[in-house]
Amino acid sequence: MSSDVRIRPAEGGLKGRLTLPGDKSISHRVGFFGALSSEGITAENFSSGADCASTLRCLELAGCLVERIGDKVRVRRGINPGEIKAPLDAGNSGTTARLLCGLLAGTPGVFAVITGDESLRKRPMGRVVSPLRTLGARIDGPGGGAYLPLSIRGGCLSGGTFELPMASAQVKTALILAGLNAHGSVTVVEPAKSRDHSERLLRHLGVPLRQEDNRITVYPCSDLPGCSIRVPGDFSSAAFWITGALIVPGSDIVLENVGINPTRTGFLECLKKMGASIEIEEKESAGGEPVGNIRVRYSELEGIEVEKDAIPTMIDELPLLALIATQAHGVTKITHAEELRVKESDRISSMAKGLRALGADVEELEDGFFITGPTPLGGGCVESSKDHRIAMTFSIAALAAQDEIIVKDAQCVGISYPEFFDHLSMLSEGVKDLEYKR
């Protein structure tokens, strides 16, 4: 059942303090590394989104022991999983599908089929299948394993060194999972540093690994140690409120206990270059991850050219940066972001089309955007493309618009942030008639 949402402009800005749900990327990794530990990993503030629920469901079907009470989750290795009789449905989660490949390929005796929803079945899987095959993985699927569904026959994997053509935390983590199950060390070399949540969690567990710049080596480990952690607030979720506060006059908010891992916060660095008023109070780390309170106030911003090396550290936030650029003075250029075209939707096309419909001056590039601002945003109806980040980005745009905006198929926000519209109402008291059209 589709669900649209109608949002009016915010009155008086965004105000208040907010605690975010657990980081999605870290929560996925808690599940997968827990699956290699007989003791298990326990995490408080585990992500509430549908993507991480897909990970837990697939791991359970694969024979892992999964316990969940509220926002607390424990995952540990089960007894010999043998043949997995039901397909492992990753839903809309590319992370779930790709990391399952790494986990199962090195599990002897396992036969599994990984599938997903219509959107996920169109997303590229060859980037993870190809290097895993070099280790000896037996994986088959449409287009020679380029797309889901994939069939996997687990076996004994060898070691190896892989130079990835593009920075990808998902591919890197899939190879790390395979390396922990392999008979030799696995080295992954990236052209730029991607999210390092996997490396941080392994170090927190005390698992041996070697890291030199963008080169990481892991060694076989038959049983990972267990631990208990608290997952920090999701930075990518925080980014929506950071955006709203910056572009809605009168805003002043504090986001509490947010993960501020430097491989995730390129968005903040770009915003500071644009003149954003952002203050961070660093706190104790959680599970090897730095956390902090982030205060954001409305700011007059200037356009910038985003550097190529910054793209991997803010790939999920680029739609928001495109929105911010429409309210900044001058030109903002975002390039080298072709990865956006193979996310849950073609996010370059989705954002360009939606922003132009609201009156913004946006040129769509093959690998990004060329945006001139500031331009007032009008009201209207925009498509979410059934992509959670697009739906939330245009919901934030509505807060700064001149008239109400209807976002189509907004129920998809539950993929990563089910609490999004509740939190929107908490921070923006002027939005009193937020409503869904079902």
Side-chain angles (χ1 to χ4, degrees):
M1 178 176 62
S2 67
S3 175
D4 305 338
V5 64
R6 181 192 304 268
I7 304 173
R8 290 191 179 278
E11 300 173 3
L14 306 185
K15 300 287 179 64
R17 305 178 74 91
L18 189 65
T19 299
L20 282 302
D23 186 279
K24 186 162 76 84
S25 294
I26 297 171
S27 295
H28 280 302
R29 286 155 177 77
V30 164
F32 279 97
F33 288 124
L36 294 175
S37 169
S38 58
E39 182 182 347
I41 299 178
T42 301
E44 294 183 59
N45 198 35
F46 192 90
S47 170
S48 56
D51 274 4
C52 289
S54 292
T55 283
L56 295 181
R57 183 174 60 251
C58 288
L59 290 175
E60 198 164 27
L61 285 171
C64 299
L65 302 176
V66 178
E67 306 166 62
R68 183 162 194 167
I69 302 175
D71 71 351
K72 188 174 183 178
V73 167
R74 183 187 185 201
V75 180
R76 54 196 175 103
R77 187 170 61 190
I79 300 172
N80 184 18
E83 185 172 333
I84 302 168
K85 299 186 182 300
L88 303 179
D89 187 350
N92 192 248
S93 176
T95 302
T96 302
R98 293 182 180 120
L99 269 56
L100 278 171
C101 291
L103 176 71
L104 298 176
T107 306
V110 164
F111 173 77
V113 174
I114 304 171
T115 187
D117 66 12
E118 181 181 4
S119 170
L120 187 56
R121 291 196 301 273
K122 296 177 182 177
R123 295 175 66 184
M125 294 293 151
R127 61 182 60 179
V128 68
V129 169
S130 179
L132 285 172
R133 282 176 174 164
T134 305
L135 291 176
R138 293 180 294 171
I139 306 175
D140 295 300
Y147 300 98
L148 297 177
L150 296 173
S151 66
I152 298 180
R153 295 183 183 275
C156 297
L157 303 181
S158 62
T161 298
F162 304 93
E163 293 193 12
L164 302 183
M166 61 183 296
S168 170
Q170 292 180 6
V171 175
K172 175 176 65 176
T173 300
L175 289 169
I176 287 173
L177 287 164
L180 293 169
N181 266 334
H183 287 279
S185 64
V186 169
T187 298
V188 183
V189 184
E190 296 185 290
K193 191 170 184 178
S194 65
R195 299 179 182 186
D196 66 353
H197 300 304
S198 296
E199 299 95 303
R200 286 176 180 267
L201 182 53
L202 287 175
R203 282 196 292 267
H204 183 70
L205 292 171
V207 176
L209 58 88
R210 177 179 295 175
Q211 190 166 9
E212 301 170 351
D213 297 324
N214 300 335
R215 183 185 187 96
I216 178 171
T217 301
V218 294
Y219 305 91
C221 184
S222 60
D223 187 5
L224 298 187
C227 74
S228 295
I229 67 170
R230 180 172 180 81
V231 179
D234 188 278
F235 179 80
S236 292
S237 296
F240 293 102
W241 312 120
I242 292 170
T243 298
L246 288 175
I247 65 175
V248 179
S251 296
D252 187 350
I253 64 171
V254 176
L255 306 169
E256 299 182 323
N257 300 317
V258 179
I260 50 174
N261 183 315
T263 63
R264 289 284 294 280
T265 55
F267 184 58
L268 291 183
E269 299 309 311
C270 280
L271 294 179
K272 289 177 181 178
K273 291 178 183 178
M274 297 175 83
S277 176
I278 298 174
E279 301 170 14
I280 299 176
E281 176 194 356
E282 291 196 33
K283 305 177 74 174
E284 292 183 7
S285 65
E289 295 282 346
V291 299
N293 292 350
I294 304 174
R295 184 182 182 186
V296 189
R297 287 171 283 188
Y298 171 74
S299 305
E300 293 284 344
L301 304 172
E302 299 290 333
I304 62 168
E305 181 169 347
V306 180
E307 296 179 2
K308 179 180 178 180
D309 289 348
I311 296 296
T313 69
M314 57 186 297
I315 192 71
D316 285 340
E317 291 74 52
L318 289 176
L320 288 167
L321 188 64
L323 168 60
I324 289 169
T326 69
Q327 304 306 299
H329 293 269
V331 173
T332 296
K333 187 176 182 180
I334 302 169
T335 54
H336 304 289
E338 57 274 6
E339 177 71 6
L340 289 178
R341 293 206 182 267
V342 291
K343 291 292 188 176
E344 285 84 336
S345 71
D346 179 339
R347 289 179 177 166
I348 293 176
S349 176
S350 296
M351 285 303 303
K353 181 179 178 181
L355 288 173
R356 284 197 295 261
L358 299 176
D361 184 352
V362 180
E363 179 184 347
E364 178 180 342
L365 308 176
E366 185 61 32
D367 60 349
F369 310 94
F370 193 86
I371 302 170
T372 304
T375 52
L377 300 178
C381 183
V382 293
E383 297 288 341
S384 70
S385 302
K386 298 183 179 179
D387 183 329
H388 56 125
R389 298 202 188 280
I390 300 300
M392 289 186 280
T393 297
F394 283 118
S395 296
I396 295 298
L399 301 177
Q402 296 179 325
D403 202 351
E404 70 179 23
I405 290 176
I406 295 174
V407 182
K408 305 289 289 183
D409 295 313
Q411 80 285 354
C412 59
V413 304
I415 289 170
S416 61
Y417 194 173
E419 307 89 346
F420 176 79
F421 288 115
D422 290 335
H423 288 176
L424 187 153
S425 296
M426 288 169 56
L427 291 178
S428 180
E429 295 180 0
V431 184
K432 296 186 183 301
D433 60 348
L434 175 69
E435 63 177 61
Y436 291 92
K437 294 172 60 184
R438 297 189 183 277

